[in-house]
Amino acid sequence: MQNSIAKRVTLSDRVTTLSQTLFSPLPVINGQVVYAQMPAFQLTLFLQQALDRHYLVRLQFKAAPEMAPATVIGQLKQDLAGHLTLKQNKQLTTIVTPELLRSVQRVK
């Protein structure tokens, strides 16, 4: 019984990945949607808005060609020295370097 459930889950994951690949207007690498590279001024503006308005954001980092980019969701914070961190949960915080970002999106 468990084996058939595991096969269905694996099959549904494959179907989801395949449908994203076929019908998404954005490229998909290893099941990960790759968002367009934002210009530097837009990244700066969106990061500042996320900090000022305390938005929950999705950050996508740059990656090597043919590699899926890292995507993280969390609350963006800035310390007194100006370093950016993304608080994902109580245990996990990501240090953010704006030059390594590909895109910033607000999560609703």
Side-chain angles (χ1 to χ4, degrees):
M1 182 70 176
Q2 256 183 339
N3 194 16
S4 65
I5 292 172
K7 285 182 182 178
R8 277 190 234 139
V9 171
T10 304
L11 181 61
S12 68
D13 289 344
R14 288 183 190 160
V15 169
T16 302
T17 302
L18 183 61
S19 66
Q20 285 178 344
T21 304
L22 291 175
F23 300 112
S24 176
L26 298 170
V28 177
I29 298 175
N30 296 335
Q32 177 73 35
V33 175
V34 180
Y35 299 105
Q37 173 66 53
M38 290 180 153
F41 76 90
Q42 191 176 27
L43 279 171
T44 305
L45 177 66
F46 284 17
L47 288 173
Q48 193 59 49
Q49 284 180 352
L51 287 168
D52 294 343
R53 299 176 185 167
H54 308 289
Y55 287 150
L56 184 65
V57 292
R58 175 184 297 121
L59 302 179
Q60 190 169 74
F61 292 91
K62 295 177 183 175
E66 304 304 319
M67 294 286 297
T71 303
V72 292
I73 296 174
Q75 186 94 29
L76 202 58
K77 305 224 183 254
Q78 190 171 29
D79 64 9
L80 296 175
H83 302 111
L84 294 175
T85 58
L86 186 77
K87 186 79 171 173
Q88 292 175 267
N89 57 36
K90 291 180 182 179
Q91 294 86 18
L92 188 59
T93 301
T94 303
I95 298 171
V96 177
T97 306
E99 293 80 27
L100 299 178
L101 285 178
R102 186 174 186 79
S103 70
V104 178
Q105 295 177 336
R106 181 179 175 192
V107 177
K108 295 187 181 193

